[in-house]
Structure formats: structure tokens, C-alpha cells
Amino acid sequence: MKRFIINITLMLMSIGCLSAQNALFHGADNAANTRVKAPEWVTPIVNEGDTAGVAAMNAMFVWTPAIINGTPAVNYTSTFTVVQLMPGQAPDDAIRRNPKVFEKRGLSAPQCLVPVNVARTMATDAVYAAQITVSRFNGTPRGNEIKSPLLIFTVNSPNNNTNSNDNTKHK
């Protein structure tokens, strides 16, 4: 019965029906519950519900590490994924279905710089969504993944001197 509950919980998390924030994991070799908190965005700074502006010449993304039982996850790898949102599309639908504009796997630090040659190809009139997926943490096998909230952003043109950490909402 315990394995059935574990498998259902992991399945719901993998298809996005259950948030990784405050989720419980039951390790096969650990009978105690493990409390997990998903990574949170640090940079670019954005107010909830707003769209961040990112400079094409310095498209740096930073996040907090996943928290497991009150301490940062150790021995983990992260994947940073960016997709473009289509008009009227929900961000969570876009991150699951749209082609990846950029993806970097195997990150061991909670940060990623989108290469300038990639950022320059991103349309300044488009809206993008980014997400971090943490896997292989604290020695757990692949399949237990923690996903960050989505970060919605636009890319400022190289000639635009707008602060990349501007909190204004772009329309």
C-alpha cells in the first residue's frame, strides 16, 4: 500500500498535478517523510504576476536551491528550460508542449547564463517561460523531480538600455 501511494504521488508530480512545494517523499530506504521545497527565482527580480525583462547581453538567471528537510539539497543536478509562449497560451501548457528555445542540463550551481548568441535570436516582442527541474538530489534516483514556479520574461534588445532587473510589467 505504501509503494502504491508513493508511486501515485510521484506520478502526479511528474505530470504537474501535484506541486513539489511542500510535497512529501517516502524514500525506499528511509521510512521518515522528507519535506521538499522547490527552487525559487532570485534573478531576474519580478513581482508576482508581472513579466521580467532580461537583457540579451546578460541573460543571467539565478534561483535558490531546492530545500529538503530544511536544508539545501546536496548532490543534485538541475535543468534550466526556456520556451516561447504563444498568444493566449497558459505558461504551464507552454512549458510542457512547446519546443525548447534553450535548455541546459546537468547544472550543479543554482544559476544559468543564456549564451548571447541564443539570447540575440529570441524575439523582443515575444514572451518566454523558464523553469528549473531538480533531479538526482540527496542520492535519490532519477524520477523524483522538483519543479520551480514558472518565470515569465521578455528579452530586451541589445540597444535597449533598460535595467534587466526592472520590475515593471511589459505588455
Side-chain angles (χ1 to χ4, degrees), residues 36-40 63-68 71-74 76 110 134 137 146:
V36 178
K37 187 170 187 271
E40 295 180 13
W63 55 91
T64 61
I67 304 296
I68 300 174
T71 60
V74 294
Y76 69 91
V134 180
F137 51 91
I146 305 169

Side-chain angles (χ1 to χ4, degrees), residues 8-25 34-40 67 92 96 131-132 137 144-150:
I8 293 297
T9 302
L10 294 176
M11 181 185 70
L12 289 172
M13 290 182 71
S14 70
I15 61 174
C17 294
L18 181 63
S19 170
Q21 287 188 329
N22 302 321
L24 296 176
F25 285 96
T34 303
R35 295 206 179 275
V36 178
K37 187 170 187 271
E40 295 180 13
I67 304 296
D92 57 337
R96 283 192 313 268
Q131 187 169 53
I132 299 110
F137 51 91
N144 290 345
E145 294 182 335
I146 305 169
K147 294 183 182 260
S148 73
L150 294 170

Side-chain angles (χ1 to χ4, degrees), residues 61-117:
F61 295 82
V62 179
W63 55 91
T64 61
I67 304 296
I68 300 174
N69 285 336
T71 60
V74 294
N75 301 324
Y76 69 91
T77 59
S78 297
T79 300
F80 173 78
T81 305
V82 175
V83 299
Q84 183 177 348
L85 275 73
M86 297 297 115
Q89 186 178 31
D92 57 337
D93 184 48
I95 203 78
R96 283 192 313 268
R97 297 176 186 228
N98 294 4
K100 294 171 179 76
V101 172
F102 178 75
E103 183 172 74
K104 181 72 175 174
R105 294 177 174 270
L107 296 168
S108 58
Q111 63 185 12
C112 186
L113 177 65
V114 176
V116 173
N117 63 326

